[in-house]
Amino acid sequence: MEIISLILIGLSLSMDAFTLSLSYGLLSVPKRRVLLVSLSVGIFHFIMPLLGMQIGNVINMIVHTNFKIILILVLIIILIESIKSLKEETDKEYDLNLINIIIFSILVSFDSFSVGIGLKYITDNIYLGSLIFTILSFTFTYAGFTLGSILKSKAMENSKLLGVILLSITIVYFICK
């Protein structure tokens, strides 16, 4: 039962990475960057629950930060950039730089951090939980980029608009979450 719970939690933690990577997949991100982003997301989904378990309670007592608001603000900035790029050439590749990859990975891993605070109540082996989260988040991030790329080739000139729509839905989802 413990493994099933960890897998279900891992799936839910991977959905934001999937949705955001799907939006980026519509922007023609080079394959080497897709792999790098997916690996980075996986690594952060391993580290964040461990950090959450160790220091999450301390941080929450000292600084009352709402990570959801930070995530929504960053997604709105990405949405604004996507809307501005609607008039640009659709064939252009969007090459994520290292800073953007790290920000992307941290943002989609915030919920793993908060899960880490209560992970000890689900399993005594937090490394197993973190490993499951890593595998699922890597897989779903890569799948999101791949599906976005497939949708882009099918949708052609409307792909950026589809990306804007998906990102808007993601922002609404996080606001309502």
Side-chain angles (χ1 to χ4, degrees), residues 2-43:
E2 175 181 306
I3 297 286
I4 293 171
S5 296
L6 291 172
I7 289 172
L8 290 174
I9 292 168
L11 286 171
S12 66
L13 292 175
S14 300
M15 288 301 108
D16 52 348
F18 175 77
T19 305
L20 192 55
S21 63
L22 181 66
S23 299
Y24 272 96
L26 293 167
L27 298 174
S28 297
V29 176
K31 289 187 186 243
R32 69 186 189 293
R33 291 293 183 191
V34 168
L35 185 59
L36 188 59
V37 172
S38 300
L39 286 170
S40 179
V41 168
I43 289 168

Side-chain angles (χ1 to χ4, degrees), residues 96-154:
L96 292 167
N97 63 35
L98 186 59
I99 303 279
N100 290 339
I101 291 171
I102 291 171
I103 290 171
F104 180 107
S105 300
I106 290 171
L107 287 175
V108 298
S109 301
F110 272 139
D111 37 0
S112 291
F113 182 82
S114 59
V115 165
I117 294 170
L119 194 57
K120 64 183 172 189
Y121 299 108
I122 299 167
T123 182
D124 291 330
N125 189 349
I126 61 163
Y127 295 105
L128 174 64
S130 289
L131 181 62
I132 289 171
F133 301 162
T134 295
I135 292 167
L136 289 172
S137 64
F138 169 83
T139 303
F140 275 83
T141 302
Y142 193 83
F145 274 106
T146 303
L147 182 59
S149 178
I150 291 168
L151 289 174
K152 180 189 184 326
S153 66
K154 301 278 186 215

Side-chain angles (χ1 to χ4, degrees), residues 50-69:
L50 300 176
L51 286 175
M53 188 169 174
Q54 297 297 320
I55 61 175
N57 289 329
V58 175
I59 289 176
N60 194 32
M61 288 187 310
I62 296 171
V63 180
H64 298 289
T65 304
N66 189 341
F67 293 118
K68 177 181 168 182
I69 292 173

